[in-house]
Amino acid sequence: MKPSEVYILNQPEKYRDILLHIIAVVEHNLPEATLEYKWGIPYFYYKKKPFCYLNASHKHQFVDVGFAKGFQLKSNQEHLVADNGRNTIKSLRYHTLETIDNAILISVIEESKMLY
């Protein structure tokens, strides 16, 4: 089993369900992307470059989908989070599976892939 799969399967059900859903959406909309395991978390690569990471934050109780070129995105700014100290990554955060808006997620994926 790949390290990224182990990471996902070892998550509590709440986070695992969110992660699996996000992976399905990314793979459906960006089939050329590969899911790697970098910096201790699953990380999608597109055209051999970092695209977005998936991090289950137990402390803050959300799954963070961080887009490597997030600061270059123009759309969906009201949904993208930029923590202090970040200068390239912006992320979508999901506390429950039900809060995932696929239209926004797909829109961010589509815009992000145009930056590569």
Side-chain angles (χ1 to χ4, degrees), residues 10-77:
N10 283 338
Q11 296 299 320
E13 183 178 3
K14 170 186 174 177
Y15 303 111
R16 184 174 55 241
D17 290 349
I18 296 170
L19 290 165
L20 291 171
H21 180 84
I22 293 165
I23 290 167
V25 172
V26 173
E27 289 177 343
H28 179 78
N29 291 280
L30 196 63
E32 307 88 358
T34 58
L35 186 58
E36 309 290 334
Y37 190 74
K38 304 287 183 177
W39 304 287
I41 55 175
Y43 214 122
F44 274 104
Y45 273 63
Y46 179 61
K47 295 185 178 180
K48 298 184 180 182
K49 294 182 180 172
F51 184 75
C52 72
Y53 68 77
L54 310 174
N55 181 38
S57 175
H58 297 201
K59 179 179 178 181
H60 298 291
Q61 298 185 346
F62 59 73
V63 171
D64 198 41
V65 185
F67 290 86
K69 296 186 178 190
F71 269 82
Q72 296 177 44
L73 299 172
K74 305 294 183 212
S75 301
N76 298 296
Q77 287 300 307

Side-chain angles (χ1 to χ4, degrees), residues 95-114:
H95 296 275
T96 65
L97 184 60
E98 294 75 27
T99 59
I100 298 174
D101 184 330
N102 282 337
I104 293 168
L105 178 56
I106 291 167
S107 174
V108 173
I109 292 167
E110 293 293 325
E111 185 181 359
S112 293
K113 79 177 181 183
M114 302 307 290

